[in-house]
């Protein structure tokens, strides 16, 4: 899309502009630092206190420029993130480059449909949709694709996705901030554990000493400057400085425990503060976004403000590893003791906010991904939810297939709820089954599907298309398939389901396969099951004569033109008439 390329160029210009300022401020900061070193050297070598005052003033200037430099660094990384997001989106659409997480870690072979339908893995539905940057966002999106929702929840999700689709700039801001947060699984687990852990406040004695000894140090230091002839004040000041330092260092282990060994965790919290602020400030119409806003905002607090405070406290605690800061600030007024006290008080009062905000942001990221998918595929249709158990799809295609090469088909399950699908090898049966399955998964979470029009009602989905044997469990392919069929039969006996079966019972002889397949179809029909079974056995198609109001035969045909095979991949009524296996084997000189 041209829009992504234009936005990429916009943020490229912004990035270059900020980078120039960043370099300029960096050069000035270095010059100020060298000036501090030089003035301090002059004050010591010449015993001139005037240079010491200049040094102090330059330290203040240095700190100011340090803050400006840090802020520019943040804006630089933010502009870079937005630039990369649009560049990646353009490359994805125009050059078929897939750079996001493929979700393979969420794949399990025993799920009712995700393994068979390639929901996770390289160039999967998950990777096609995924625009999350945090581990929680990745997890929420994966869980969404693993479960179907009730009709009311699907409608609420559709409403939210439609609203977010129009908010391109807002979505990309959330995505960019999330990228800056670096909330991987380790950091997420650490923050979740921290959020739920018990809080032990500092003792009153510790706090009493944290105020008394710094006060005594200040008083003795003032007395020394006023009356420098009395050396006692100098000894007292140095003694109180040492006591402050010792009492502060005694809390280092507690501070390190709270930090949990995670570096720059304040940047993660600050990024989440920025995300939450954007969620708080944005105006929404959808009920689901109002629910998210309510979870992070109440009359007594705003999550963005509180997270900003926590970020600052984390940053201050992290300076305990800085030898210069630790010695100077703790020796003077027990800086880290007071910071730790504020930190623990915050945790006791608002600790639950950390987990809540990670969960809310994760859900928003997942919905942003679905909105981005909708934005990129504006021709896709949001299915209508049926209240009379009708189900039909017009011009249905597989979203992972190139739109220019994609062949679409229409199918209706309203009058005949179960289809026996036949077709020669490579005619498109398995692809069509996956097309139905993938679009049902998307429809079941409120996303648009690759169709011009659709009506459906949510049903549990079960698929048997790709099974594997297990050497570890001494389990044959046939036994694995029978176990999957047993699971499906048990489920359809409990409730109406949608089932996709591709050439079942391949691990047995033809007679067993035929009778077993017919038996499975009869069982599914009696249990009010919807779905499709693909088979090469044309005798199975006669089962439709027993259940003419429920079963229907459909097929994919192949033609031989100019001594070559021609597939149109269009579904037809009836039983497949043409075969191609022998033709292919002869053409490849396998048989005569």
């Amino acid at each position: 899309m041209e829009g992504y390329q234009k936005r990429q160029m916009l943020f490229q210009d912004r990035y270059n502009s900020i980078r120039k300022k960043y370099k300029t401020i960096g050069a000035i900061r270095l010059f100020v630092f060298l000036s501090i070193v030089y003035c301090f050297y002059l004050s010591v070598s010449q015993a001139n206190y005037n240079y010491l005052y200049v040094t102090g003033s330059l330290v203040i200037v240095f700190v100011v420029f340090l803050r400006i430099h840090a802020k520019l660094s943040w804006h630089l990384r933010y502009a870079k993130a937005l630039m990369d997001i649009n560049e990646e989106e353009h490359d994805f659409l125009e050059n078929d480059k897939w750079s996001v997480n493929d979700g393979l870690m969420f794949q399990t072979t025993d799920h009712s449909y995700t393994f068979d339908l390639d929901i996770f893995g390289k160039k999967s539905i998950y990777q096609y949709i995924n625009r999350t940057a945090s581990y929680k966002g990745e997890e929420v999106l994966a869980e969404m694709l693993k479960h179907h929702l009730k009709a009311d929840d699907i409608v609420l999700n559709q409403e939210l996705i439609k609203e977010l689709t129009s908010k391109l700039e807002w979505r990309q801001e959330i995505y960019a901030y999330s990228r800056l947060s670096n909330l991987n699984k380790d950091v997420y687990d650490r923050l979740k554990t921290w959020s739920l852990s018990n809080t032990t406040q500092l003792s009153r004695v510790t706090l009493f000493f944290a105020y008394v000894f710094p006060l005594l140090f200040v008083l003795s230091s003032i007395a020394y400057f006023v009356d420098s002839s009395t050396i006692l004040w100098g000894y007292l000041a140095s003694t109180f400085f040492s006591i402050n330092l010792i009492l502060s260092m005694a809390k280092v282990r507690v501070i390190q425990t709270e930090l949990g060994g995670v570096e720059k965790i304040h940047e993660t919290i600050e990024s989440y503060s920025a995300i939450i602020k954007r969620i708080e400030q944005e105006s929404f119409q959808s009920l689901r976004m109002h629910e998210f806003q309510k979870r992070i905002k109440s009359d007594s607090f705003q999550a963005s403000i509180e997270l900003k405070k926590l970020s600052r406290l984390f940053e201050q605690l992290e300076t305990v590893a800085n030898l210069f800061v630790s010695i100077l600030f703790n020796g003077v007024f027990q800086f880290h003791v007071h910071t730790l006290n504020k930190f623990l008080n915050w945790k006791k009062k608002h600790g639950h906010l950390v987990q809540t905000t990670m969960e809310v942001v994760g859900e928003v990221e997942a919905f942003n991904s679905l909105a981005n998918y909708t934005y990129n595929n504006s021709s896709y249709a949001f299915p209508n939810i049926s209240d009379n158990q009708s189900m039909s799809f017009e011009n249905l295609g597989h979203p992972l297939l190139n739109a220019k090469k994609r062949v679409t088909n229409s199918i209706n399950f309203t009058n005949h709820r179960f289809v026996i699908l036949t077709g020669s090898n490579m005619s498109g049966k398995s692809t069509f089954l996956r097309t139905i399955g993938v679009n049902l998964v998307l429809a079941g979470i409120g996303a648009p599907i690759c169709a011009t029009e659709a009506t459906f009602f949510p049903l549990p989905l079960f698929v048997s298309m790709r099974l594997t044997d297990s050497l570890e469990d001494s389990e044959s392919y046939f036994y694995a398939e029978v176990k999957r069929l047993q699971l499906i039969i048990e489920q359809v006996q409990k409730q109406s389901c949608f089932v996709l079966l591709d050439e079942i019972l391949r691990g047995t002889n033809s007679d067993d396969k035929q009778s077993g397949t017919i038996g499975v179809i009869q069982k599914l029909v009696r249990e009010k099951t919807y779905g499709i079974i693909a088979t090469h056995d044309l005798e199975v198609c006669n089962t439709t004569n027993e259940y003419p109001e429920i079963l229907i035969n459909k097929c994919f045909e192949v033609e031989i033109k100019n001594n070559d095979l021609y597939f149109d991949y269009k579904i037809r009524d009836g039983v497949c008439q043409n075969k191609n296996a022998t033709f292919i084997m002869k053409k490849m000189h396998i048989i005569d």
Side-chain angles (χ1 to χ4, degrees):
M1 286 186 180
E2 255 184 60
Y4 288 126
Q5 199 166 23
K6 288 180 179 178
R7 287 180 63 81
Q8 189 266 334
M9 293 171 65
L10 171 68
F11 293 116
Q12 175 78 62
D13 292 340
R14 186 179 300 179
Y15 173 81
N16 292 336
S17 176
I18 297 172
R19 194 160 178 261
K20 288 179 182 178
K21 296 178 183 177
Y22 180 80
K23 287 185 174 181
T24 301
I25 296 297
I28 295 173
R29 191 185 68 167
L30 178 61
F31 175 76
V32 173
F33 176 77
L34 295 174
S35 299
I36 290 171
V37 174
Y38 182 65
C39 289
F40 182 75
Y41 166 75
L42 291 177
S43 67
V44 173
S45 62
Q46 299 181 15
N48 189 334
Y49 286 107
N50 292 325
Y51 284 115
L52 197 58
Y53 296 142
V54 174
T55 302
S57 301
L58 287 173
V59 167
I60 296 173
V61 173
F62 179 80
V63 170
V64 170
F65 276 101
L66 190 66
R67 285 289 179 183
I68 295 173
H69 199 253
K71 187 174 290 187
L72 283 173
S73 174
W74 169 269
H75 288 303
L76 191 68
R77 290 187 293 121
Y78 178 62
K80 178 71 162 57
L82 286 168
M83 182 178 69
D84 290 344
I85 286 169
N86 285 279
E87 183 178 11
E88 289 168 9
E89 209 64 49
H90 178 265
D91 283 343
F92 172 72
L93 294 173
E94 299 297 328
N95 304 318
D96 197 33
K97 290 185 178 179
W98 302 50
S99 58
V100 296
N101 184 6
D102 62 13
L104 190 60
M105 58 185 170
F106 300 112
Q107 178 174 281
T108 54
T109 57
D110 59 349
H111 191 268
S112 62
Y113 57 81
T114 57
F115 182 64
D116 300 77
L117 297 179
D118 300 313
I119 299 299
F120 303 109
K122 187 176 180 180
K123 294 209 169 183
S124 62
I125 286 295
Y126 181 90
Q127 191 176 28
Y128 184 78
I129 294 173
N130 182 26
R131 296 299 182 272
T132 64
S134 72
Y135 170 75
K136 187 60 182 177
E138 294 171 346
E139 183 183 55
V140 171
L141 181 59
E143 288 302 310
M144 289 176 73
L145 291 170
K146 285 182 177 181
H147 302 90
H148 78 285
L149 300 173
K150 295 180 180 178
D152 292 342
D153 289 322
I154 291 174
V155 172
L156 289 176
N157 280 8
Q158 286 183 348
E159 177 189 30
L160 173 54
I161 292 167
K162 289 176 183 177
E163 182 174 33
L164 293 181
T165 300
S166 63
K167 294 179 179 291
L168 173 62
E169 187 171 342
W170 184 86
R171 284 191 283 108
Q172 290 195 347
E173 286 177 358
I174 299 296
Y175 192 15
Y177 282 129
S178 186
R179 282 189 168 201
L180 296 181
S181 71
N182 295 317
L183 190 74
N184 56 36
K185 189 177 188 305
D186 290 339
V187 177
Y188 169 76
D189 290 339
R190 158 73 188 103
L191 284 173
K192 182 179 178 181
T193 301
W194 177 86
S195 180
L196 299 175
S197 64
N198 294 325
T199 304
T200 304
Q201 303 297 109
L202 295 180
S203 67
R204 291 183 177 180
V205 174
T206 299
L207 294 176
F208 175 77
F209 288 154
Y211 285 101
V212 170
F213 285 110
L215 178 62
L216 292 174
F217 169 76
V218 171
L219 292 175
S220 58
S221 297
I222 293 173
Y224 176 74
F225 279 105
V226 172
D227 183 14
S228 57
S229 60
T230 306
I231 198 170
L232 175 64
W233 299 121
Y235 284 126
L236 287 174
S238 61
T239 300
F240 293 137
F241 184 92
S242 300
I243 292 173
N244 286 332
L245 192 58
I246 291 169
L247 292 176
S248 297
M249 292 299 103
K251 299 300 178 185
V252 168
R253 182 171 294 181
V254 178
I255 292 172
Q256 290 175 338
T257 300
E258 292 294 334
L259 292 175
V262 181
E263 293 184 3
K264 296 185 177 181
I265 198 168
H266 72 276
E267 292 183 356
T268 299
I269 302 297
E270 188 171 1
S271 295
Y272 266 66
S273 174
I275 294 173
I276 293 299
K277 187 176 182 179
R278 294 296 293 115
I279 296 173
E280 290 171 343
Q281 291 178 340
E282 190 69 15
S283 176
F284 295 104
Q285 301 300 318
S286 58
L287 178 61
R288 191 132 285 172
M289 279 306 302
H290 285 162
E291 291 173 353
F292 292 150
Q293 287 178 321
K294 191 178 292 185
R295 287 171 64 185
I296 58 175
K297 187 178 180 181
S298 72
D299 295 334
S300 60
F301 69 86
Q302 274 187 277
S304 61
I305 295 174
E306 294 303 328
L307 288 177
K308 190 75 173 178
K309 294 178 183 177
L310 179 62
S311 173
R312 193 177 301 115
L313 290 169
F314 262 120
E315 185 178 13
Q316 290 172 351
L317 285 183
E318 287 169 4
T319 60
V320 74
N322 186 310
L323 191 62
F324 175 77
V325 172
S326 289
I327 294 175
L328 179 61
F329 284 61
N330 287 325
V332 174
F333 56 93
Q334 296 191 37
F335 170 74
H336 285 109
V337 175
H338 290 287
T339 303
L340 179 62
N341 182 50
K342 293 176 185 177
F343 181 87
L344 294 175
N345 286 336
W346 190 100
K347 182 180 178 182
K348 183 178 181 181
K349 190 175 181 181
H350 299 296
H352 65 281
L353 274 181
V354 174
Q355 184 179 2
T356 299
T357 53
M358 288 193 298
E359 290 173 354
V360 169
V361 171
E363 292 185 66
V364 170
E365 279 191 281
F367 280 111
N368 272 355
S369 295
L370 293 171
N372 186 79
Y373 152 78
T374 307
Y375 181 85
N376 288 345
N377 299 281
S378 56
S379 62
Y380 287 9
F382 282 92
N384 298 312
I385 310 298
S386 170
D387 53 7
N388 60 359
Q389 295 190 328
S390 62
M391 187 179 298
S392 62
F393 304 92
E394 296 294 326
N395 301 310
L396 188 72
H398 199 298
L400 296 187
L401 294 178
N402 188 296
K404 295 178 181 179
K405 299 179 181 178
R406 182 190 300 140
V407 177
T408 62
N409 286 285
S410 300
I411 190 166
N412 193 321
F413 296 93
T414 303
N415 298 323
H416 297 88
R417 55 182 167 84
F418 207 89
V419 175
I420 298 177
L421 183 65
T422 54
S424 58
N425 296 304
M426 303 183 298
S427 61
K429 300 191 306 298
S430 297
T431 299
F432 185 68
L433 261 62
R434 287 193 171 90
T435 298
I436 293 284
V438 163
N439 282 292
L440 282 175
V441 171
L442 294 172
I445 63 175
I449 65 173
C450 183
T452 55
E453 189 178 346
T455 299
F456 91 115
F457 61 99
L459 289 172
L461 177 63
F462 290 87
V463 182
S464 180
M465 294 184 67
R466 180 190 291 145
L467 295 167
T468 57
D469 52 8
S470 174
L471 294 176
E472 183 179 343
D473 298 330
S474 301
E475 185 177 87
S476 68
Y477 177 91
F478 173 74
Y479 187 61
E481 187 175 26
V482 169
K483 282 175 63 178
R484 173 56 69 92
L485 290 174
Q486 180 187 36
L487 169 67
I488 292 173
I489 296 300
E490 289 175 352
Q491 292 302 316
V492 299
Q493 287 175 334
K494 297 176 184 177
Q495 59 184 326
S496 184
C497 299
F498 198 100
V499 174
L500 295 171
L501 304 175
D502 188 15
E503 200 65 38
I504 62 173
L505 304 177
R506 281 171 283 190
T508 185
N509 64 60
S510 57
D511 289 338
D512 270 352
K513 177 182 176 182
Q514 184 182 106
S515 60
T517 301
I518 292 173
V520 168
I521 292 173
Q522 291 172 334
K523 185 77 171 179
L524 294 174
V525 167
R526 288 196 298 268
E527 298 298 340
K528 298 182 179 180
T529 306
Y530 289 73
I532 304 177
I533 182 170
T535 180
H536 284 289
D537 195 330
L538 302 186
E539 293 297 320
V540 172
C541 299
N542 294 329
T543 314
T544 57
N545 298 328
E546 301 176 36
Y547 308 94
E549 295 181 354
I550 299 173
L551 289 174
I552 188 172
N553 287 311
K554 289 188 177 290
C555 66
F556 287 98
E557 289 287 10
V558 58
E559 296 180 48
I560 300 176
K561 295 181 178 180
N562 300 322
N563 199 34
D564 206 354
L565 294 175
Y566 172 74
F567 300 96
D568 63 7
Y569 305 112
K570 300 297 290 187
I571 197 167
R572 298 171 171 82
D573 291 332
V575 181
C576 171
Q577 300 299 315
N578 299 323
K579 301 177 182 179
N580 65 2
T582 303
F583 174 81
I584 293 173
M585 293 177 73
K586 284 183 178 180
K587 192 169 184 179
M588 296 180 68
H589 306 293
I590 297 173
I591 60 174
D592 295 328

